[in-house]
Structures are given as structure tokens and as C-alpha cells.
Amino acid sequence: MHRHSYKGRKFGRETDQRLALIRSLECALIENQSITTTLARAKEIRREAEKLISMARKGGLNNRRLIIARLNSVSCGNLLVDVVAPQVKRDSGYLRIERAGYRKGDNAEMGTISFVDEIDYSKAEKPAKVEKPVAKKSAAKAKKEDK
């Protein structure tokens, strides 16, 4: 048999577990700017994350919603669109993978995936707490409580 036209690696997992793994690694990459994982995972993350960064650079509400849907995380999606994408200064090739030796337990080849451009996360605005206004009691409720 042949393995032509099969895209992506399976990682010995079922589809939903594999998607969850890739999404969580992409979120970790966006939040931390650099992560160390196995080389195969790093190569697979790069395929997906480059597409997300390209979508984030285009901007627009629809692309923001697609990014949030693919990452399953509103905070990660907003961080990518609002902080990371404006600081990326190139048209493609946003990520680099460097080999990081071998894992001690099973001798798996490790790699560090990181952004090529330096990302400054201090520009991320922390949302201020908004206090909800206290609802005024209607005249009818106030009369009932007085009785």
C-alpha cells in the first residue's frame, strides 16, 4: 500500500485527541513565544500556526472568529490578533524550529519552535474590571418591599 495524499501526522492518537494536542501546543506557543517539544510535533504545529498568523495579519472580524474557533480559546485568539500579528514584520516564515537534542527517557528528537521576530507582550492590554451598575428598583417593587 502507499501513503500518498495523506496530510499530517497521526501521533498515535485518535482525531479528536490529535486536534486537541495541536490546539493546546499552538496556544502555548502564542502565549509563551517559544516551546520545546518533539521535532515531529513542532513541524506539525508550524504548518497550522503559520496559517493562523497569516489570517491574523489580514485582520477583520471574520478572520478573528475563525482563529478563535480553530484555537478553541478566546484569549489565545485575541492575543494572536491584537498583540502578535501587528508585531510580525514578514510576509511568511513566521516560525523557526531549532533542534534541541534528544529526550532522556525515550531518546525522542526534541525541537524548539519560536517566532523569528521578537514579540513584546507588554503591549497586551489587560482588561480593566468593569463594575456592573446596580439596577434601580422599580416603583412597584419598592412598594411591595415596604409593605
Side-chain angles (χ1 to χ4, degrees), residues 19 22-23 26 48 51-52 55 64-73:
L19 290 175
I22 291 171
R23 286 174 175 165
E26 287 172 348
E48 303 295 327
K51 293 174 188 174
L52 291 176
M55 286 172 58
R64 182 184 295 261
R65 287 179 174 166
L66 287 172
I67 290 166
I68 290 171
R70 288 192 186 173
L71 289 175
N72 275 0
S73 172

Side-chain angles (χ1 to χ4, degrees), residues 50 53-54 57 88-95 116-117:
E50 297 253 350
I53 296 168
S54 294
R57 289 192 68 225
V88 174
K89 301 174 182 71
R90 54 189 71 234
D91 294 330
S92 64
Y94 312 111
L95 301 170
V116 175
D117 297 324

Side-chain angles (χ1 to χ4, degrees), residues 124-135:
E125 296 178 12
K126 294 183 180 175
K129 276 194 172 180
V130 179
E131 293 184 23
K132 294 182 181 177
V134 178

Side-chain angles (χ1 to χ4, degrees), residues 23-119:
R23 286 174 175 165
S24 66
L25 288 172
E26 287 172 348
C27 275
L29 175 65
I30 292 166
E31 290 171 351
N32 300 322
Q33 193 172 357
S34 174
I35 58 171
T36 301
T37 182
T38 62
L39 196 62
R41 288 178 186 173
K43 288 179 179 180
E44 193 66 24
I45 294 165
R46 182 174 56 184
R47 285 182 59 224
E48 303 295 327
E50 297 253 350
K51 293 174 188 174
L52 291 176
I53 296 168
S54 294
M55 286 172 58
R57 289 192 68 225
K58 288 180 186 175
L61 181 60
N62 189 48
N63 282 332
R64 182 184 295 261
R65 287 179 174 166
L66 287 172
I67 290 166
I68 290 171
R70 288 192 186 173
L71 289 175
N72 275 0
S73 172
V74 177
S75 61
C76 266
N78 289 334
L79 184 67
L80 178 62
V81 174
D82 296 333
V83 179
V84 176
Q87 295 183 39
V88 174
K89 301 174 182 71
R90 54 189 71 234
D91 294 330
S92 64
Y94 312 111
L95 301 170
R96 84 164 52 99
I97 297 175
E98 296 171 343
R99 294 176 188 258
Y102 296 91
R103 189 161 51 196
K104 189 175 183 181
D106 60 354
N107 208 30
E109 193 168 7
M110 302 296 285
T112 300
I113 182 167
S114 60
F115 287 98
V116 175
D117 297 324
E118 198 65 31
I119 307 296

